[in-house]
Short mmCIF file of all heavy atoms in Angstrom, two decimals:
data_model
loop_
_atom_site.label_atom_id
_atom_site.label_comp_id
_atom_site.label_asym_id
_atom_site.label_seq_id
_atom_site.Cartn_x
_atom_site.Cartn_y
_atom_site.Cartn_z
N TYR A 20 -18.91 5.06 14.87
CA TYR A 20 -19.06 4.19 16.04
C TYR A 20 -19.15 4.99 17.33
O TYR A 20 -19.90 4.63 18.23
CB TYR A 20 -17.92 3.16 16.11
CG TYR A 20 -18.22 1.93 15.29
CD1 TYR A 20 -17.66 1.77 14.03
CD2 TYR A 20 -19.09 0.95 15.76
CE1 TYR A 20 -17.96 0.65 13.27
CE2 TYR A 20 -19.39 -0.16 15.01
CZ TYR A 20 -18.82 -0.31 13.76
OH TYR A 20 -19.13 -1.41 13.00
N ASP A 21 -18.43 6.11 17.42
CA ASP A 21 -18.57 6.98 18.60
C ASP A 21 -20.02 7.45 18.75
O ASP A 21 -20.59 7.43 19.84
CB ASP A 21 -17.65 8.20 18.49
CG ASP A 21 -16.19 7.88 18.70
OD1 ASP A 21 -15.87 6.80 19.24
OD2 ASP A 21 -15.34 8.72 18.33
N ARG A 22 -20.59 7.87 17.62
CA ARG A 22 -21.99 8.34 17.66
C ARG A 22 -22.96 7.21 17.97
O ARG A 22 -23.94 7.40 18.70
CB ARG A 22 -22.34 9.03 16.34
CG ARG A 22 -21.66 10.39 16.21
CD ARG A 22 -22.05 11.13 14.95
NE ARG A 22 -21.22 10.63 13.85
CZ ARG A 22 -21.67 10.25 12.68
NH1 ARG A 22 -22.95 10.32 12.41
NH2 ARG A 22 -20.85 9.81 11.75
N LYS A 23 -22.71 6.00 17.44
CA LYS A 23 -23.57 4.86 17.74
C LYS A 23 -23.52 4.51 19.22
O LYS A 23 -24.55 4.18 19.83
CB LYS A 23 -23.13 3.63 16.93
CG LYS A 23 -23.54 3.67 15.48
CD LYS A 23 -23.10 2.39 14.78
CE LYS A 23 -23.55 2.34 13.36
NZ LYS A 23 -23.21 1.05 12.71
N ILE A 24 -22.34 4.59 19.82
CA ILE A 24 -22.18 4.29 21.24
C ILE A 24 -22.97 5.29 22.08
O ILE A 24 -23.72 4.92 22.98
CB ILE A 24 -20.70 4.26 21.65
CG1 ILE A 24 -20.02 3.03 21.03
CG2 ILE A 24 -20.53 4.28 23.17
CD1 ILE A 24 -18.51 3.02 21.13
N VAL A 25 -22.82 6.57 21.77
CA VAL A 25 -23.54 7.60 22.51
C VAL A 25 -25.05 7.43 22.34
O VAL A 25 -25.81 7.54 23.30
CB VAL A 25 -23.08 9.02 22.07
CG1 VAL A 25 -23.99 10.09 22.63
CG2 VAL A 25 -21.64 9.25 22.51
N HIS A 26 -25.48 7.14 21.12
CA HIS A 26 -26.90 6.93 20.86
C HIS A 26 -27.43 5.74 21.68
O HIS A 26 -28.51 5.82 22.28
CB HIS A 26 -27.15 6.70 19.37
CG HIS A 26 -28.58 6.40 19.05
ND1 HIS A 26 -29.53 7.39 18.97
CD2 HIS A 26 -29.22 5.22 18.82
CE1 HIS A 26 -30.71 6.82 18.69
NE2 HIS A 26 -30.53 5.52 18.59
N SER A 27 -26.68 4.66 21.69
CA SER A 27 -27.11 3.47 22.44
C SER A 27 -27.21 3.75 23.93
O SER A 27 -28.12 3.27 24.60
CB SER A 27 -26.13 2.31 22.21
OG SER A 27 -26.16 1.91 20.86
N GLN A 28 -26.28 4.55 24.45
CA GLN A 28 -26.28 4.85 25.88
C GLN A 28 -27.39 5.83 26.26
O GLN A 28 -27.93 5.74 27.36
CB GLN A 28 -24.94 5.44 26.29
CG GLN A 28 -23.81 4.45 26.23
CD GLN A 28 -22.45 5.08 26.44
OE1 GLN A 28 -22.23 6.22 26.06
NE2 GLN A 28 -21.54 4.32 27.01
N ASN A 29 -27.73 6.76 25.37
CA ASN A 29 -28.62 7.85 25.76
C ASN A 29 -30.03 7.77 25.17
O ASN A 29 -30.96 8.25 25.79
CB ASN A 29 -28.01 9.19 25.35
CG ASN A 29 -26.71 9.46 26.06
OD1 ASN A 29 -26.53 9.07 27.20
ND2 ASN A 29 -25.79 10.12 25.38
N ARG A 30 -30.18 7.20 24.00
CA ARG A 30 -31.47 7.28 23.31
C ARG A 30 -32.18 5.95 23.14
O ARG A 30 -33.40 5.91 23.09
CB ARG A 30 -31.28 7.89 21.92
CG ARG A 30 -30.67 9.25 21.93
CD ARG A 30 -31.71 10.27 22.21
NE ARG A 30 -31.14 11.61 22.06
CZ ARG A 30 -31.62 12.65 22.68
NH1 ARG A 30 -32.65 12.51 23.46
NH2 ARG A 30 -31.07 13.82 22.50
N GLU A 31 -31.44 4.87 23.01
CA GLU A 31 -32.04 3.59 22.71
C GLU A 31 -32.62 2.97 23.97
O GLU A 31 -32.07 3.12 25.06
CB GLU A 31 -30.98 2.66 22.11
CG GLU A 31 -31.50 1.83 20.98
CD GLU A 31 -30.41 1.08 20.26
OE1 GLU A 31 -29.49 1.72 19.74
OE2 GLU A 31 -30.49 -0.15 20.24
#
Side-chain angles (χ1 to χ4, degrees):
Y20 274 101
D21 287 344
R22 288 183 277 131
K23 284 182 176 184
I24 290 169
V25 169
H26 176 80
S27 295
Q28 291 171 328
N29 297 326
R30 302 278 187 206
E31 220 171 301

